[in-house]
PDB file of all heavy atoms in Angstrom:
ATOM      1  N   SER A 523     -28.065   6.549  38.863  1.00 95.00           N
ATOM      2  CA  SER A 523     -27.465   5.228  38.655  1.00 95.00           C
ATOM      3  C   SER A 523     -26.921   4.595  39.919  1.00 95.00           C
ATOM      4  O   SER A 523     -26.065   3.740  39.866  1.00 95.00           O
ATOM      5  CB  SER A 523     -26.303   5.398  37.622  1.00 95.00           C
ATOM      6  OG  SER A 523     -26.796   5.910  36.403  1.00 95.00           O
ATOM      7  N   GLN A 524     -27.440   5.033  41.064  1.00 95.00           N
ATOM      8  CA  GLN A 524     -26.920   4.533  42.319  1.00 95.00           C
ATOM      9  C   GLN A 524     -27.809   3.425  42.934  1.00 95.00           C
ATOM     10  O   GLN A 524     -27.617   3.024  44.066  1.00 95.00           O
ATOM     11  CB  GLN A 524     -26.827   5.691  43.356  1.00 95.00           C
ATOM     12  CG  GLN A 524     -25.950   6.865  42.871  1.00 95.00           C
ATOM     13  CD  GLN A 524     -24.569   6.372  42.452  1.00 95.00           C
ATOM     14  OE1 GLN A 524     -23.879   5.772  43.248  1.00 95.00           O
ATOM     15  NE2 GLN A 524     -24.162   6.749  41.248  1.00 95.00           N
ATOM     16  N   GLY A 525     -28.784   2.954  42.177  1.00 97.00           N
ATOM     17  CA  GLY A 525     -29.678   1.904  42.651  1.00 97.00           C
ATOM     18  C   GLY A 525     -29.163   0.516  42.294  1.00 97.00           C
ATOM     19  O   GLY A 525     -27.963   0.294  42.048  1.00 97.00           O
ATOM     20  N   PRO A 526     -30.077  -0.495  42.304  1.00 97.00           N
ATOM     21  CA  PRO A 526     -29.670  -1.868  41.998  1.00 97.00           C
ATOM     22  C   PRO A 526     -29.005  -1.991  40.613  1.00 97.00           C
ATOM     23  O   PRO A 526     -29.358  -1.236  39.705  1.00 97.00           O
ATOM     24  CB  PRO A 526     -30.993  -2.621  42.059  1.00 97.00           C
ATOM     25  CG  PRO A 526     -31.883  -1.780  42.872  1.00 97.00           C
ATOM     26  CD  PRO A 526     -31.473  -0.390  42.625  1.00 97.00           C
ATOM     27  N   THR A 527     -28.103  -2.967  40.479  1.00 97.00           N
ATOM     28  CA  THR A 527     -27.408  -3.149  39.228  1.00 97.00           C
ATOM     29  C   THR A 527     -27.416  -4.627  38.802  1.00 97.00           C
ATOM     30  O   THR A 527     -27.766  -5.480  39.587  1.00 97.00           O
ATOM     31  CB  THR A 527     -25.932  -2.694  39.356  1.00 97.00           C
ATOM     32  OG1 THR A 527     -25.290  -3.502  40.354  1.00 97.00           O
ATOM     33  CG2 THR A 527     -25.826  -1.253  39.737  1.00 97.00           C
ATOM     34  N   MET A 528     -27.019  -4.867  37.538  1.00 95.00           N
ATOM     35  CA  MET A 528     -26.820  -6.218  37.053  1.00 95.00           C
ATOM     36  C   MET A 528     -25.385  -6.289  36.575  1.00 95.00           C
ATOM     37  O   MET A 528     -24.759  -5.295  36.251  1.00 95.00           O
ATOM     38  CB  MET A 528     -27.784  -6.586  35.943  1.00 95.00           C
ATOM     39  CG  MET A 528     -27.630  -5.720  34.694  1.00 95.00           C
ATOM     40  SD  MET A 528     -28.813  -6.150  33.350  1.00 95.00           S
ATOM     41  CE  MET A 528     -28.000  -7.610  32.699  1.00 95.00           C
ATOM     42  N   TYR A 529     -24.837  -7.530  36.531  1.00 95.00           N
ATOM     43  CA  TYR A 529     -23.449  -7.716  36.068  1.00 95.00           C
ATOM     44  C   TYR A 529     -23.414  -7.638  34.547  1.00 95.00           C
ATOM     45  O   TYR A 529     -24.292  -8.191  33.832  1.00 95.00           O
ATOM     46  CB  TYR A 529     -22.938  -9.056  36.528  1.00 95.00           C
ATOM     47  CG  TYR A 529     -21.540  -9.390  35.953  1.00 95.00           C
ATOM     48  CD1 TYR A 529     -20.407  -8.881  36.492  1.00 95.00           C
ATOM     49  CD2 TYR A 529     -21.477 -10.185  34.782  1.00 95.00           C
ATOM     50  CE1 TYR A 529     -19.149  -9.114  35.910  1.00 95.00           C
ATOM     51  CE2 TYR A 529     -20.214 -10.449  34.220  1.00 95.00           C
ATOM     52  CZ  TYR A 529     -19.052  -9.932  34.845  1.00 95.00           C
ATOM     53  OH  TYR A 529     -17.828 -10.160  34.248  1.00 95.00           O
ATOM     54  N   ILE A 530     -22.403  -6.957  33.994  1.00 96.00           N
ATOM     55  CA  ILE A 530     -22.048  -6.964  32.604  1.00 96.00           C
ATOM     56  C   ILE A 530     -20.569  -7.151  32.427  1.00 96.00           C
ATOM     57  O   ILE A 530     -19.828  -6.946  33.397  1.00 96.00           O
ATOM     58  CB  ILE A 530     -22.512  -5.663  31.861  1.00 96.00           C
ATOM     59  CG1 ILE A 530     -21.854  -4.491  32.523  1.00 96.00           C
ATOM     60  CG2 ILE A 530     -24.035  -5.571  31.851  1.00 96.00           C
ATOM     61  CD1 ILE A 530     -22.035  -3.165  31.770  1.00 96.00           C
ATOM     62  N   GLU A 531     -20.126  -7.531  31.243  1.00 95.00           N
ATOM     63  CA  GLU A 531     -18.691  -7.599  31.005  1.00 95.00           C
ATOM     64  C   GLU A 531     -18.129  -6.192  30.878  1.00 95.00           C
ATOM     65  O   GLU A 531     -18.648  -5.375  30.131  1.00 95.00           O
ATOM     66  CB  GLU A 531     -18.455  -8.382  29.707  1.00 95.00           C
ATOM     67  CG  GLU A 531     -17.012  -8.772  29.451  1.00 95.00           C
ATOM     68  CD  GLU A 531     -16.538  -9.883  30.376  1.00 95.00           C
ATOM     69  OE1 GLU A 531     -17.389 -10.729  30.787  1.00 95.00           O
ATOM     70  OE2 GLU A 531     -15.330  -9.924  30.638  1.00 95.00           O
ATOM     71  N   ALA A 532     -17.081  -5.929  31.673  1.00 96.00           N
ATOM     72  CA  ALA A 532     -16.448  -4.613  31.541  1.00 96.00           C
ATOM     73  C   ALA A 532     -15.836  -4.412  30.154  1.00 96.00           C
ATOM     74  O   ALA A 532     -15.395  -5.392  29.524  1.00 96.00           O
ATOM     75  CB  ALA A 532     -15.363  -4.494  32.643  1.00 96.00           C
ATOM     76  N   SER A 533     -15.792  -3.160  29.681  1.00 96.00           N
ATOM     77  CA  SER A 533     -15.223  -2.899  28.359  1.00 96.00           C
ATOM     78  C   SER A 533     -14.633  -1.483  28.312  1.00 96.00           C
ATOM     79  O   SER A 533     -15.350  -0.502  28.506  1.00 96.00           O
ATOM     80  CB  SER A 533     -16.349  -2.987  27.286  1.00 96.00           C
ATOM     81  OG  SER A 533     -15.847  -2.550  26.038  1.00 96.00           O
ATOM     82  N   PRO A 534     -13.323  -1.406  28.072  1.00 97.00           N
ATOM     83  CA  PRO A 534     -12.704  -0.089  27.918  1.00 97.00           C
ATOM     84  C   PRO A 534     -13.214   0.653  26.734  1.00 97.00           C
ATOM     85  O   PRO A 534     -13.075   1.912  26.628  1.00 97.00           O
ATOM     86  CB  PRO A 534     -11.203  -0.424  27.817  1.00 97.00           C
ATOM     87  CG  PRO A 534     -11.133  -1.800  27.329  1.00 97.00           C
ATOM     88  CD  PRO A 534     -12.323  -2.505  27.910  1.00 97.00           C
ATOM     89  N   ALA A 535     -13.819  -0.030  25.728  1.00 97.00           N
ATOM     90  CA  ALA A 535     -14.305   0.642  24.529  1.00 97.00           C
ATOM     91  C   ALA A 535     -15.519   1.483  24.771  1.00 97.00           C
ATOM     92  O   ALA A 535     -15.980   2.174  23.883  1.00 97.00           O
ATOM     93  CB  ALA A 535     -14.612  -0.416  23.450  1.00 97.00           C
ATOM     94  N   ARG A 536     -16.045   1.446  26.001  1.00 97.00           N
ATOM     95  CA  ARG A 536     -17.236   2.268  26.350  1.00 97.00           C
ATOM     96  C   ARG A 536     -16.893   3.688  26.746  1.00 97.00           C
ATOM     97  O   ARG A 536     -17.794   4.463  26.986  1.00 97.00           O
ATOM     98  CB  ARG A 536     -18.029   1.612  27.444  1.00 97.00           C
ATOM     99  CG  ARG A 536     -18.752   0.319  27.018  1.00 97.00           C
ATOM    100  CD  ARG A 536     -19.828  -0.126  28.033  1.00 97.00           C
ATOM    101  NE  ARG A 536     -20.611  -1.169  27.487  1.00 97.00           N
ATOM    102  CZ  ARG A 536     -20.564  -2.426  27.810  1.00 97.00           C
ATOM    103  NH1 ARG A 536     -19.736  -2.822  28.814  1.00 97.00           N
ATOM    104  NH2 ARG A 536     -21.329  -3.325  27.237  1.00 97.00           N
ATOM    105  N   ARG A 537     -15.642   4.019  26.846  1.00 98.00           N
ATOM    106  CA  ARG A 537     -15.306   5.359  27.275  1.00 98.00           C
ATOM    107  C   ARG A 537     -15.874   6.391  26.318  1.00 98.00           C
ATOM    108  O   ARG A 537     -16.039   6.135  25.102  1.00 98.00           O
ATOM    109  CB  ARG A 537     -13.778   5.513  27.421  1.00 98.00           C
ATOM    110  CG  ARG A 537     -13.058   5.628  26.067  1.00 98.00           C
ATOM    111  CD  ARG A 537     -11.580   5.856  26.228  1.00 98.00           C
ATOM    112  NE  ARG A 537     -10.938   6.171  24.937  1.00 98.00           N
ATOM    113  CZ  ARG A 537     -10.838   7.377  24.419  1.00 98.00           C
ATOM    114  NH1 ARG A 537     -11.328   8.445  25.107  1.00 98.00           N
ATOM    115  NH2 ARG A 537     -10.279   7.591  23.256  1.00 98.00           N
ATOM    116  N   MET A 538     -16.165   7.600  26.835  1.00 98.00           N
ATOM    117  CA  MET A 538     -16.687   8.662  25.973  1.00 98.00           C
ATOM    118  C   MET A 538     -15.530   9.344  25.235  1.00 98.00           C
ATOM    119  O   MET A 538     -14.407   9.501  25.814  1.00 98.00           O
ATOM    120  CB  MET A 538     -17.482   9.663  26.801  1.00 98.00           C
ATOM    121  CG  MET A 538     -18.798   9.119  27.321  1.00 98.00           C
ATOM    122  SD  MET A 538     -19.766  10.355  28.203  1.00 98.00           S
ATOM    123  CE  MET A 538     -20.229  11.460  26.856  1.00 98.00           C
ATOM    124  N   VAL A 539     -15.783   9.741  24.029  1.00 98.00           N
ATOM    125  CA  VAL A 539     -14.740  10.442  23.242  1.00 98.00           C
ATOM    126  C   VAL A 539     -15.007  11.930  23.314  1.00 98.00           C
ATOM    127  O   VAL A 539     -16.142  12.403  23.442  1.00 98.00           O
ATOM    128  CB  VAL A 539     -14.703   9.962  21.801  1.00 98.00           C
ATOM    129  CG1 VAL A 539     -14.357   8.489  21.703  1.00 98.00           C
ATOM    130  CG2 VAL A 539     -16.054  10.240  21.071  1.00 98.00           C
ATOM    131  N   SER A 540     -13.936  12.712  23.288  1.00 97.00           N
ATOM    132  CA  SER A 540     -14.042  14.136  23.191  1.00 97.00           C
ATOM    133  C   SER A 540     -14.479  14.559  21.770  1.00 97.00           C
ATOM    134  O   SER A 540     -14.419  13.754  20.844  1.00 97.00           O
ATOM    135  CB  SER A 540     -12.706  14.826  23.519  1.00 97.00           C
ATOM    136  OG  SER A 540     -11.746  14.534  22.512  1.00 97.00           O
ATOM    137  N   LYS A 541     -14.855  15.804  21.585  1.00 97.00           N
ATOM    138  CA  LYS A 541     -15.244  16.315  20.280  1.00 97.00           C
ATOM    139  C   LYS A 541     -14.073  16.150  19.300  1.00 97.00           C
ATOM    140  O   LYS A 541     -14.243  15.709  18.154  1.00 97.00           O
ATOM    141  CB  LYS A 541     -15.672  17.754  20.363  1.00 97.00           C
ATOM    142  CG  LYS A 541     -16.206  18.342  19.046  1.00 97.00           C
ATOM    143  CD  LYS A 541     -16.625  19.753  19.200  1.00 97.00           C
ATOM    144  CE  LYS A 541     -17.746  19.965  20.186  1.00 97.00           C
ATOM    145  NZ  LYS A 541     -18.274  21.345  20.156  1.00 97.00           N
ATOM    146  N   LYS A 542     -12.870  16.453  19.740  1.00 97.00           N
ATOM    147  CA  LYS A 542     -11.675  16.338  18.901  1.00 97.00           C
ATOM    148  C   LYS A 542     -11.451  14.875  18.566  1.00 97.00           C
ATOM    149  O   LYS A 542     -11.111  14.575  17.371  1.00 97.00           O
ATOM    150  CB  LYS A 542     -10.457  16.933  19.593  1.00 97.00           C
ATOM    151  CG  LYS A 542      -9.218  16.997  18.713  1.00 97.00           C
ATOM    152  CD  LYS A 542      -8.138  17.771  19.342  1.00 97.00           C
ATOM    153  CE  LYS A 542      -6.927  17.916  18.401  1.00 97.00           C
ATOM    154  NZ  LYS A 542      -5.805  18.683  18.996  1.00 97.00           N
ATOM    155  N   GLU A 543     -11.591  13.913  19.458  1.00 98.00           N
ATOM    156  CA  GLU A 543     -11.443  12.519  19.181  1.00 98.00           C
ATOM    157  C   GLU A 543     -12.519  12.028  18.181  1.00 98.00           C
ATOM    158  O   GLU A 543     -12.239  11.235  17.297  1.00 98.00           O
ATOM    159  CB  GLU A 543     -11.501  11.702  20.477  1.00 98.00           C
ATOM    160  CG  GLU A 543     -10.320  11.885  21.328  1.00 98.00           C
ATOM    161  CD  GLU A 543     -10.473  11.161  22.659  1.00 98.00           C
ATOM    162  OE1 GLU A 543     -11.560  11.235  23.280  1.00 98.00           O
ATOM    163  OE2 GLU A 543      -9.512  10.528  23.143  1.00 98.00           O
ATOM    164  N   TYR A 544     -13.701  12.536  18.341  1.00 98.00           N
ATOM    165  CA  TYR A 544     -14.828  12.220  17.426  1.00 98.00           C
ATOM    166  C   TYR A 544     -14.392  12.570  15.977  1.00 98.00           C
ATOM    167  O   TYR A 544     -14.612  11.793  15.086  1.00 98.00           O
ATOM    168  CB  TYR A 544     -16.049  12.989  17.880  1.00 98.00           C
ATOM    169  CG  TYR A 544     -17.322  12.639  17.107  1.00 98.00           C
ATOM    170  CD1 TYR A 544     -18.142  11.614  17.520  1.00 98.00           C
ATOM    171  CD2 TYR A 544     -17.717  13.427  15.996  1.00 98.00           C
ATOM    172  CE1 TYR A 544     -19.345  11.326  16.847  1.00 98.00           C
ATOM    173  CE2 TYR A 544     -18.900  13.138  15.322  1.00 98.00           C
ATOM    174  CZ  TYR A 544     -19.701  12.132  15.739  1.00 98.00           C
ATOM    175  OH  TYR A 544     -20.891  11.847  15.052  1.00 98.00           O
ATOM    176  N   ILE A 545     -13.878  13.766  15.815  1.00 98.00           N
ATOM    177  CA  ILE A 545     -13.408  14.259  14.532  1.00 98.00           C
ATOM    178  C   ILE A 545     -12.241  13.346  14.005  1.00 98.00           C
ATOM    179  O   ILE A 545     -12.203  12.981  12.814  1.00 98.00           O
ATOM    180  CB  ILE A 545     -12.975  15.707  14.601  1.00 98.00           C
ATOM    181  CG1 ILE A 545     -14.202  16.583  14.908  1.00 98.00           C
ATOM    182  CG2 ILE A 545     -12.279  16.155  13.295  1.00 98.00           C
ATOM    183  CD1 ILE A 545     -13.879  17.980  15.386  1.00 98.00           C
ATOM    184  N   GLU A 546     -11.326  13.004  14.917  1.00 98.00           N
ATOM    185  CA  GLU A 546     -10.175  12.147  14.504  1.00 98.00           C
ATOM    186  C   GLU A 546     -10.670  10.784  14.031  1.00 98.00           C
ATOM    187  O   GLU A 546     -10.123  10.276  13.041  1.00 98.00           O
ATOM    188  CB  GLU A 546      -9.249  11.951  15.710  1.00 98.00           C
ATOM    189  CG  GLU A 546      -8.470  13.219  16.057  1.00 98.00           C
ATOM    190  CD  GLU A 546      -7.710  13.109  17.365  1.00 98.00           C
ATOM    191  OE1 GLU A 546      -8.009  12.111  18.130  1.00 98.00           O
ATOM    192  OE2 GLU A 546      -6.852  13.940  17.658  1.00 98.00           O
ATOM    193  N   HIS A 547     -11.704  10.248  14.620  1.00 98.00           N
ATOM    194  CA  HIS A 547     -12.260   8.966  14.141  1.00 98.00           C
ATOM    195  C   HIS A 547     -12.774   9.093  12.753  1.00 98.00           C
ATOM    196  O   HIS A 547     -12.616   8.171  11.928  1.00 98.00           O
ATOM    197  CB  HIS A 547     -13.381   8.498  15.102  1.00 98.00           C
ATOM    198  CG  HIS A 547     -12.945   7.779  16.275  1.00 98.00           C
ATOM    199  ND1 HIS A 547     -12.615   6.428  16.238  1.00 98.00           N
ATOM    200  CD2 HIS A 547     -12.730   8.166  17.578  1.00 98.00           C
ATOM    201  CE1 HIS A 547     -12.247   6.043  17.451  1.00 98.00           C
ATOM    202  NE2 HIS A 547     -12.294   7.061  18.256  1.00 98.00           N
ATOM    203  N   HIS A 548     -13.356  10.241  12.354  1.00 98.00           N
ATOM    204  CA  HIS A 548     -13.849  10.417  10.996  1.00 98.00           C
ATOM    205  C   HIS A 548     -12.679  10.508  10.006  1.00 98.00           C
ATOM    206  O   HIS A 548     -12.798  10.012   8.877  1.00 98.00           O
ATOM    207  CB  HIS A 548     -14.676  11.705  10.906  1.00 98.00           C
ATOM    208  CG  HIS A 548     -16.111  11.491  11.460  1.00 98.00           C
ATOM    209  ND1 HIS A 548     -16.369  11.433  12.796  1.00 98.00           N
ATOM    210  CD2 HIS A 548     -17.281  11.360  10.805  1.00 98.00           C
ATOM    211  CE1 HIS A 548     -17.646  11.263  13.003  1.00 98.00           C
ATOM    212  NE2 HIS A 548     -18.255  11.225  11.789  1.00 98.00           N
ATOM    213  N   PHE A 549     -11.549  11.048  10.389  1.00 98.00           N
ATOM    214  CA  PHE A 549     -10.427  11.105   9.515  1.00 98.00           C
ATOM    215  C   PHE A 549      -9.752   9.719   9.362  1.00 98.00           C
ATOM    216  O   PHE A 549      -9.165   9.436   8.361  1.00 98.00           O
ATOM    217  CB  PHE A 549      -9.398  12.126  10.012  1.00 98.00           C
ATOM    218  CG  PHE A 549      -9.639  13.528   9.459  1.00 98.00           C
ATOM    219  CD1 PHE A 549     -10.441  14.417  10.210  1.00 98.00           C
ATOM    220  CD2 PHE A 549      -9.109  13.914   8.270  1.00 98.00           C
ATOM    221  CE1 PHE A 549     -10.681  15.681   9.720  1.00 98.00           C
ATOM    222  CE2 PHE A 549      -9.354  15.193   7.776  1.00 98.00           C
ATOM    223  CZ  PHE A 549     -10.155  16.076   8.487  1.00 98.00           C
ATOM    224  N   ARG A 550      -9.852   8.895  10.391  1.00 97.00           N
ATOM    225  CA  ARG A 550      -9.276   7.559  10.292  1.00 97.00           C
ATOM    226  C   ARG A 550     -10.185   6.576   9.563  1.00 97.00           C
ATOM    227  O   ARG A 550      -9.730   5.447   9.222  1.00 97.00           O
ATOM    228  CB  ARG A 550      -8.947   7.051  11.713  1.00 97.00           C
ATOM    229  CG  ARG A 550      -7.811   7.771  12.401  1.00 97.00           C
ATOM    230  CD  ARG A 550      -7.279   6.941  13.570  1.00 97.00           C
ATOM    231  NE  ARG A 550      -8.253   6.791  14.610  1.00 97.00           N
ATOM    232  CZ  ARG A 550      -8.376   7.550  15.683  1.00 97.00           C
ATOM    233  NH1 ARG A 550      -7.549   8.599  15.809  1.00 97.00           N
ATOM    234  NH2 ARG A 550      -9.285   7.333  16.612  1.00 97.00           N
ATOM    235  N   SER A 551     -11.420   6.947   9.382  1.00 97.00           N
ATOM    236  CA  SER A 551     -12.354   6.040   8.727  1.00 97.00           C
ATOM    237  C   SER A 551     -12.162   6.054   7.214  1.00 97.00           C
ATOM    238  O   SER A 551     -11.462   6.936   6.645  1.00 97.00           O
ATOM    239  CB  SER A 551     -13.788   6.414   9.066  1.00 97.00           C
ATOM    240  OG  SER A 551     -14.186   7.589   8.332  1.00 97.00           O
ATOM    241  N   THR A 552     -12.790   5.116   6.533  1.00 96.00           N
ATOM    242  CA  THR A 552     -12.687   5.020   5.083  1.00 96.00           C
ATOM    243  C   THR A 552     -13.793   5.845   4.485  1.00 96.00           C
ATOM    244  O   THR A 552     -14.551   6.547   5.154  1.00 96.00           O
ATOM    245  CB  THR A 552     -12.767   3.564   4.642  1.00 96.00           C
ATOM    246  OG1 THR A 552     -14.033   3.038   5.100  1.00 96.00           O
ATOM    247  CG2 THR A 552     -11.628   2.750   5.175  1.00 96.00           C
ATOM    248  N   GLY A 553     -13.905   5.760   3.140  1.00 96.00           N
ATOM    249  CA  GLY A 553     -15.000   6.513   2.442  1.00 96.00           C
ATOM    250  C   GLY A 553     -14.565   7.915   2.113  1.00 96.00           C
ATOM    251  O   GLY A 553     -13.559   8.424   2.616  1.00 96.00           O
ATOM    252  N   ALA A 554     -15.376   8.558   1.280  1.00 97.00           N
ATOM    253  CA  ALA A 554     -15.093   9.896   0.822  1.00 97.00           C
ATOM    254  C   ALA A 554     -16.192  10.872   1.325  1.00 97.00           C
ATOM    255  O   ALA A 554     -17.331  10.454   1.615  1.00 97.00           O
ATOM    256  CB  ALA A 554     -15.047   9.934  -0.695  1.00 97.00           C
ATOM    257  N   PRO A 555     -15.813  12.181   1.477  1.00 98.00           N
ATOM    258  CA  PRO A 555     -14.475  12.737   1.390  1.00 98.00           C
ATOM    259  C   PRO A 555     -13.695  12.476   2.659  1.00 98.00           C
ATOM    260  O   PRO A 555     -14.281  12.050   3.672  1.00 98.00           O
ATOM    261  CB  PRO A 555     -14.756  14.212   1.211  1.00 98.00           C
ATOM    262  CG  PRO A 555     -16.031  14.420   1.977  1.00 98.00           C
ATOM    263  CD  PRO A 555     -16.844  13.210   1.738  1.00 98.00           C
ATOM    264  N   GLU A 556     -12.430  12.687   2.651  1.00 97.00           N
ATOM    265  CA  GLU A 556     -11.600  12.500   3.872  1.00 97.00           C
ATOM    266  C   GLU A 556     -12.178  13.367   4.972  1.00 97.00           C
ATOM    267  O   GLU A 556     -12.361  14.564   4.800  1.00 97.00           O
ATOM    268  CB  GLU A 556     -10.133  12.840   3.621  1.00 97.00           C
ATOM    269  CG  GLU A 556      -9.252  12.627   4.814  1.00 97.00           C
ATOM    270  CD  GLU A 556      -7.811  13.062   4.532  1.00 97.00           C
ATOM    271  OE1 GLU A 556      -7.598  13.861   3.612  1.00 97.00           O
ATOM    272  OE2 GLU A 556      -6.923  12.670   5.311  1.00 97.00           O
ATOM    273  N   GLY A 557     -12.416  12.810   6.147  1.00 98.00           N
ATOM    274  CA  GLY A 557     -12.958  13.569   7.285  1.00 98.00           C
ATOM    275  C   GLY A 557     -14.452  13.701   7.237  1.00 98.00           C
ATOM    276  O   GLY A 557     -15.035  14.201   8.197  1.00 98.00           O
TER     277      GLY A 557
END
């Protein structure tokens, strides 16, 4: 990724989540079963 680039809008929402955070997102989501 060290070659030519194009401009995009920066976004903090692009950060990578850890495995534990991934699981936490499932518990915060709706629908059944919990988690």
Side-chain angles (χ1 to χ4, degrees):
S523 302
Q524 305 304 307
T527 63
M528 63 180 283
Y529 174 81
I530 58 172
E531 190 73 29
S533 173
R536 289 195 170 107
R537 73 176 189 89
M538 291 184 69
V539 298
S540 67
K541 187 180 297 187
K542 187 171 184 178
E543 289 174 318
Y544 185 89
I545 294 164
E546 289 170 348
H547 275 278
H548 282 74
F549 272 91
R550 290 198 295 267
S551 75
T552 58
E556 183 184 18

